[in-house]
Amino acid sequence: RPWFPYKDEFHLDRQEKQSSSSKVVIASLAEFVEKQMKERFERVVRSRSYSACFVAEALDNAGNIAAIFRSAEAFGFQSVHVITSLTVKGYKGVRRAHRGTERWLDVEVWNCAKDCIQALRSRGYRIAVTSTSHDTVSICDMDWTIPTAVIFGNEHEGASDYSTSQADILCGIPMFGMVDSLNVSVAAGILMRHAVCDRIARNGFHGDLEPEQQEILMAEFFLRYKRNSADIFSDLAKKRQLDQYRNF
């Protein structure tokens, strides 16, 4: 499953020579995470999915990007992407993220559609681009158990010509009224909800992580829980190393 981004190695300090495992991270921070929150983390991690991810391409409205992120998090999709020519503060695919919904997601930022699509293809995703044209495939006719990256285009112009030309499939939401388009964040929410229902109907479950991957993501959540969680863990790790040196 090449789309899972992490190894069981946690380097919280660039000068740190030795890495820590997810087991060590969880054990070290256990006393700093409330029982209720631990149980919630466990429940959420079991339902997390990487085999579908979502891309916001050149959206003008930051509120729409935030709404897409919120829907992805609510429906259990861990990986989201932003294609933008601007440097958007906060949209960074790093392990230490602390901005609202983003703290629980893996956010990657790309300067151009070409780089983003090439990377997603290399991870094993088919590329689906949302469109309002008449030759689209209904999202209801797609198999959402197939690893899929969905690109949502600009609010006014839709997806770029490049993204559309690179699509393995153009997809759309069936509509029966006079309007032929929806707000991009509304469309994203509808599509994500349908994808979850389709995956459960076909597989009996939504989450797609192996137990060891769940443990790694659990450690990620422990580190993202509070702003100083990573600093607390680093201090504890340094103390352990010092104690080991003294005992030696």
Side-chain angles (χ1 to χ4, degrees), residues 173-190:
I173 298 171
M175 286 180 282
F176 307 97
M178 295 297 292
V179 299
D180 58 2
S181 65
L182 296 168
N183 172 275
V184 64
S185 63
V186 173
I190 292 172

Side-chain angles (χ1 to χ4, degrees), residues 25-49:
V25 171
I26 292 171
S28 299
L29 295 176
E31 65 178 292
F32 301 98
V33 181
E34 297 85 351
K35 180 181 177 182
Q36 184 177 7
M37 187 57 68
K38 291 178 190 175
E39 294 173 349
R40 187 172 184 179
F41 285 166
E42 291 172 354
R43 183 176 68 254
V44 168
V45 165
R46 285 196 299 270
S47 297
R48 271 308 202 241
S49 171

Side-chain angles (χ1 to χ4, degrees), residues 22-83:
S22 55
K23 284 185 172 61
V24 172
V25 171
I26 292 171
S28 299
L29 295 176
E31 65 178 292
F32 301 98
V33 181
E34 297 85 351
K35 180 181 177 182
Q36 184 177 7
M37 187 57 68
K38 291 178 190 175
E39 294 173 349
R40 187 172 184 179
F41 285 166
E42 291 172 354
R43 183 176 68 254
V44 168
V45 165
R46 285 196 299 270
S47 297
R48 271 308 202 241
S49 171
Y50 277 94
S51 56
C53 69
F54 301 92
V55 184
E57 182 183 22
L59 297 192
D60 293 330
N61 190 326
N64 282 333
I65 299 176
I68 291 173
F69 284 5
R70 191 173 184 85
S71 293
E73 203 288 320
F75 290 125
F77 296 104
Q78 185 66 21
S79 177
V80 292
H81 302 256
V82 178
I83 300 173

Side-chain angles (χ1 to χ4, degrees), residues 82-244:
V82 178
I83 300 173
T84 176
S85 59
L86 304 176
T87 301
V88 184
K89 185 178 181 181
Y91 300 146
K92 296 180 180 179
V94 297
R95 275 189 150 164
R96 297 179 66 176
H98 302 287
R99 298 177 64 85
T101 303
E102 294 174 35
R103 95 165 70 172
W104 308 119
L105 297 173
D106 297 337
V107 183
E108 295 184 64
V109 179
W110 306 88
N111 292 324
C112 66
K114 180 179 179 180
D115 291 345
C116 178
I117 291 174
Q118 286 182 345
L120 293 174
R121 282 199 192 284
S122 71
R123 298 176 193 178
Y125 293 105
R126 67 174 173 178
I127 306 301
V129 176
T130 58
S131 173
T132 57
S133 65
H134 295 294
D135 58 347
T136 59
V137 175
S138 169
I139 62 171
C140 302
D141 296 330
M142 294 173 61
D143 181 351
W144 289 96
T145 64
I146 298 173
T148 304
V150 183
I151 299 177
F152 296 100
N154 178 272
E155 294 94 337
H156 310 292
E157 301 175 356
S160 66
D161 290 341
Y162 179 82
S163 294
T164 301
S165 70
Q166 294 298 306
D168 298 309
I169 186 169
L170 296 177
C171 62
I173 298 171
M175 286 180 282
F176 307 97
M178 295 297 292
V179 299
D180 58 2
S181 65
L182 296 168
N183 172 275
V184 64
S185 63
V186 173
I190 292 172
L191 186 149
M192 291 177 196
R193 174 58 180 166
H194 175 77
V196 171
C197 292
D198 182 78
R199 290 166 59 80
I200 293 174
R202 293 176 187 271
N203 286 340
F205 55 87
H206 172 48
D208 58 19
L209 300 185
E210 301 291 346
E212 59 270 21
Q213 294 173 334
Q214 293 181 24
E215 185 176 64
I216 294 171
L217 190 57
M218 184 81 166
E220 288 285 340
F221 280 13
F222 270 50
L223 289 168
R224 301 177 190 185
Y225 178 42
K226 296 180 180 179
R227 288 183 178 275
N228 63 339
S229 294
D231 295 328
I232 291 173
F233 177 75
S234 293
D235 291 342
L236 292 172
K238 291 175 183 177
K239 183 178 183 299
R240 282 196 303 273
Q241 292 176 355
L242 182 60
D243 290 343
Q244 291 174 353

